[in-house]
Amino acid sequence: MAAATKVLATLRTHWKKTTFGVCLLSWGGNWLYGKHCDNLLRRAACQEAEVFGNQLIPSSMPLKKATVFLNLAACKGKARNLFETNAAPILHLSGLDVTVVKTDYEGQAKKLLELMENTDLIIIAGGDGTVQEVITGLLRRADEAAFSKIPIGFIPLGKTCTLSHTLYPESTNQVEHITNATLAILKGETIPLDVLQIKGEKEQPVFAVTGLRWGSYRDAGVKASKYWYLGPLKTKAAHFFSTFKEWPQKHQAALMYLGPTERPPEEPEEKPSRPPLYVRLYRRLRLYWSSPSKEIPQEVAPEDWEELKLSTVELSIATRNRQLDLTRTEDFMDICIEADTVSKGQFVSRGSQKMRDPHTCPEGSQCIQASRCILQLPEGTEGSFGIDNEEYEAMPVEVKLLPRKLRFICDPRMREQMLHATVQ
């Protein structure tokens, strides 16, 4: 009893040290508990992956090859540790023949894609920039028609992973998010995603799955990291200081565009079986002996281009991948032209919304649905485009929608949600 009284008296005397110690112990206990929960998640994911690895395959069937493009610079250099700790064990336990290609600098993935040999599966481990580089390198290949049919998996390791909102359920736990994405890759459920082909006058085309942004919100958002010392206020500070420039901030250009196109029926994934030899011989003989018929040339309808002059605080051209509808009958991209009459207060408040959802189209904006557009900028225009959150020099460009161009692997639950929402 006396000892307990003495301890309480000591704690009361040194109450500042006591408070600090309690806070430190609480934080340490919470950190250890979080690490324990993460280890449980990894163990459960590895056990599930082991089920795939234990499946029997015929001796004549080769192992399924998977090529992983890992961006070591993603997530401020933490991507390698995140991948090797959370994703790599799952892939190796699944029985895949995994090849990891590590990229160290910007543009390396595009070059490596040109040299890539045949693979059964492409896995992108990084953020938006890594996705943009890999699909650009893939679609620049001479044999892109064949390689674009390879399913693509995405492991979200970057600071910004816009595509993960479409492919995987939301999760606040990074370990859970990465392991769920890796397990989804093993299950192999795919959805078709649209791609934007963005071509300048001289440069090779760049490809994007999210979209293009040009304007003041994008420019201010890029500078938000400079105000890191303001914590949660850094975004508002970046947009507030941006208003000190010439106001209103207008971006002027000319836009030509074509309307939506009708969606053709989806091609079957499995090729029809080859007919017997005698059927093929009969067809060739009938074609050889039949009299040649004159082909009637079909008239090509002229393209109906719309043209407008625009003055905007920001222009965005986005795919429909964020609001994916698997049964829609038309293919188009969304063009949002925001009014240039926005006040400084509205600019600062909307800036925070734009950081969360960059391609949101505020009330009062002009929204256009198009399958193809040409953006002409005045001579001497400065600034930059944001293409899938990667910076490119602003220049006149042609943007063309490539509907359902690539098949990305998604979580089966997300696919069910999309189909269920469409039925309703």
Side-chain angles (χ1 to χ4, degrees):
M1 186 70 179
T5 306
K6 187 175 180 180
V7 169
L8 289 174
T10 304
L11 293 175
R12 185 181 300 174
T13 305
H14 304 283
W15 63 270
K16 292 181 180 179
K17 294 179 181 179
T18 302
T19 303
F20 177 76
V22 169
C23 292
L24 185 62
L25 286 172
S26 300
W27 177 85
N30 185 60
W31 181 81
L32 288 173
Y33 178 72
K35 288 291 182 182
H36 173 67
C37 292
D38 290 345
N39 286 330
L40 291 178
L41 287 170
R42 294 187 187 103
R43 182 184 299 176
C46 287
Q47 289 172 347
E48 189 172 345
E50 201 172 7
V51 176
F52 291 92
N54 291 335
Q55 292 177 356
L56 296 177
I57 60 172
S59 58
S60 58
M61 182 182 294
L63 287 177
K64 193 174 182 180
K65 294 182 180 180
T67 304
V68 181
F69 289 89
L70 172 61
N71 181 6
L72 299 178
C75 197
K76 298 181 180 179
K78 300 176 184 177
R80 180 174 187 166
N81 182 56
L82 288 172
F83 175 78
E84 292 179 349
T85 305
N86 303 301
I90 298 172
L91 294 175
H92 290 297
L93 284 170
S94 67
L96 291 172
D97 181 8
V98 181
T99 301
V100 180
V101 180
K102 299 173 182 176
T103 61
D104 300 303
Y105 57 87
E106 187 177 347
Q108 187 178 10
K110 297 176 189 175
K111 297 176 182 178
L112 293 173
L113 256 297
E114 297 175 3
L115 307 173
M116 186 180 70
E117 298 178 354
N118 288 335
T119 185
D120 300 306
L121 175 64
I122 296 173
I123 300 175
I124 305 170
D128 286 350
T130 316
V131 173
Q132 193 262 331
E133 279 201 22
V134 170
I135 67 166
T136 296
L138 183 70
L139 296 176
R140 281 180 181 177
R141 290 178 63 109
D143 54 354
E144 62 85 15
F147 269 77
S148 61
K149 295 178 182 178
I150 298 173
I152 301 172
F154 176 51
I155 301 177
L157 302 179
K159 185 179 178 182
T160 54
C161 300
T162 309
L163 201 56
S164 66
H165 301 295
T166 301
L167 303 178
Y168 310 118
E170 298 289 343
S171 176
T172 55
N173 186 308
Q174 189 178 33
V175 173
E176 182 182 26
H177 199 45
I178 294 171
T179 53
N180 283 345
T182 312
L183 288 171
I185 291 171
L186 304 184
K187 295 171 185 175
E189 288 278 350
T190 62
I191 52 174
L193 294 186
D194 297 340
V195 176
L196 296 183
Q197 176 184 286
I198 304 166
K199 192 174 187 310
E201 295 177 345
K202 299 178 182 179
E203 302 290 331
Q204 281 187 295
V206 172
F207 298 87
V209 290
T210 304
L212 176 149
R213 294 176 66 200
W214 175 55
S216 301
Y217 290 112
R218 192 215 74 87
D219 295 342
V222 169
K223 298 175 182 177
S225 59
K226 293 182 179 180
Y227 303 98
W228 58 269
Y229 49 85
L230 295 177
L233 298 176
K234 63 182 179 181
T235 300
K236 289 190 179 293
H239 289 82
F240 173 72
F241 289 120
S242 178
T243 61
F244 291 173
K245 299 178 182 178
E246 181 182 352
W247 193 266
Q249 297 178 13
K250 298 183 179 181
H251 295 73
Q252 297 179 334
L255 182 71
M256 296 174 62
Y257 65 92
L258 293 173
T261 57
E262 188 176 350
R263 168 169 285 189
E266 191 169 359
E267 297 179 1
E269 292 185 15
E270 295 183 1
K271 295 181 179 179
S273 58
R274 195 178 186 189
L277 178 62
Y278 68 88
V279 174
R280 300 199 303 273
L281 288 172
Y282 170 73
R283 289 177 179 175
R284 290 188 181 183
L285 288 171
R286 187 180 63 177
L287 184 64
Y288 178 78
W289 291 109
S290 61
S291 56
S293 57
K294 296 182 179 179
E295 294 185 359
I296 302 173
Q298 295 182 351
E299 293 185 3
V300 179
E303 295 179 324
D304 189 16
W305 286 91
E306 301 271 351
E307 185 174 358
L308 59 88
K309 302 286 185 182
L310 58 91
S311 177
T312 177
V313 68
E314 180 155 294
L315 169 75
S316 67
I317 304 171
T319 63
R320 298 287 297 176
N321 293 335
R322 189 73 185 265
Q323 304 89 21
L324 201 59
D325 182 357
L326 299 177
T327 60
R328 69 175 188 261
T329 57
E330 289 185 327
D331 290 316
F332 57 85
M333 53 191 175
D334 292 325
I335 302 176
C336 177
I337 305 170
E338 299 188 35
D340 61 0
T341 55
V342 62
S343 67
K344 292 185 177 182
Q346 288 175 326
F347 180 81
V348 174
S349 62
R350 285 182 184 173
S352 300
Q353 299 173 8
K354 286 279 187 178
M355 292 294 285
R356 292 189 295 270
D357 186 4
H359 292 280
T360 184
C361 205
E363 187 178 350
S365 305
Q366 183 178 358
C367 300
I368 299 171
Q369 294 179 346
S371 59
R372 187 178 166 192
C373 71
I374 298 173
L375 181 66
Q376 294 287 351
L377 306 183
E379 191 173 347
T381 299
E382 298 179 352
S384 301
F385 289 148
I387 300 177
D388 278 8
N389 292 318
E390 291 294 297
E391 193 166 297
Y392 288 83
E393 180 186 355
M395 64 178 71
V397 291
E398 178 183 1
V399 184
K400 182 180 179 182
L401 180 71
L402 306 178
R404 298 183 297 177
K405 183 64 177 176
L406 298 174
R407 296 199 72 87
F408 272 79
I409 297 173
C410 71
D411 191 292
R413 292 171 291 179
M414 296 297 290
R415 183 179 172 85
E416 286 180 12
Q417 285 181 17
M418 294 173 197
L419 293 172
H420 184 67
T422 302
V423 170
Q424 287 183 339

